[in-house]
Amino acid sequence: QVQLMESGGGSVQAGGSLRLSCLASGGAISNYCMAWFRQAPGKERERVVSIDNDGSIFSVADSVKGRFTASRDLAKNTLYLQMNTLHSEDTAMYYCAARGCFTFTYNYWGQGTQVTISS
C-alpha cells in the first residue's frame, strides 16, 4: 500500500508563498486520486485541492481558489501544493491523502506538515 510523507511546511509572513511536497512510496501516484487537506485547531478538516490520477485538478476549495494549486512529478512520485498569497487563515496542519479512484474514501494519509502564517 502507498505511504505518504509531507514536507515543506514552516512559518511565513502573510502574503508569502510556500510549496508543500508529498513523497509517495509503495505505489505510484499515477494509480491514485490524491488530495491536500488541512485542519486548523478547533476547525473541521477541509479538502483544499484534489487531483485525479491523470493529473488533472478535480476540485479546489473556494477559500484557496486562485491562490493554491496542486501538481505532481511522476518521476519523483511526488505531489505538490503551491500556496501563494498566504493569509493568516491558512494556518493549519496540511495533509496529503490518496484513494483508489473508484472509491470515495481517502484511505492513505501522511503525518502532516504544519503551516503557520504570521500577519
Side-chain angles (χ1 to χ4, degrees):
Q1 63 185 29
V2 67
Q3 284 129 22
L4 306 172
M5 183 169 65
E6 303 92 339
S7 61
S11 297
V12 296
Q13 289 192 325
S17 297
L18 274 177
R19 188 178 77 159
L20 306 183
S21 299
C22 173
L23 174 64
S25 58
I29 59 173
S30 57
N31 292 332
Y32 296 89
C33 289
M34 301 186 72
W36 287 97
F37 288 81
R38 67 184 182 184
Q39 188 164 23
K43 294 189 177 181
E44 291 189 357
R45 186 172 62 197
E46 177 185 26
R47 188 176 67 187
V48 176
V49 181
S50 62
I51 187 168
D52 279 345
N53 61 338
D54 65 0
S56 60
I57 301 293
F58 179 73
S59 68
V60 180
D62 288 342
S63 57
V64 304
K65 202 162 287 184
R67 301 187 298 120
F68 290 14
T69 191
S71 63
R72 60 183 195 175
D73 184 329
L74 297 183
K76 295 182 179 179
N77 214 31
T78 299
L79 178 71
Y80 299 102
L81 180 67
Q82 179 66 45
M83 306 186 294
N84 299 324
T85 317
L86 285 159
H87 305 155
S88 57
E89 305 86 73
D90 296 318
T91 295
M93 185 71 80
Y94 283 73
Y95 299 91
C96 170
R99 63 176 174 88
C101 293
F102 294 101
T103 67
F104 295 102
T105 302
Y106 287 91
N107 292 311
Y108 308 103
W109 293 82
Q111 83 290 347
T113 187
Q114 178 67 38
V115 172
T116 302
I117 310 303
S118 57
S119 54

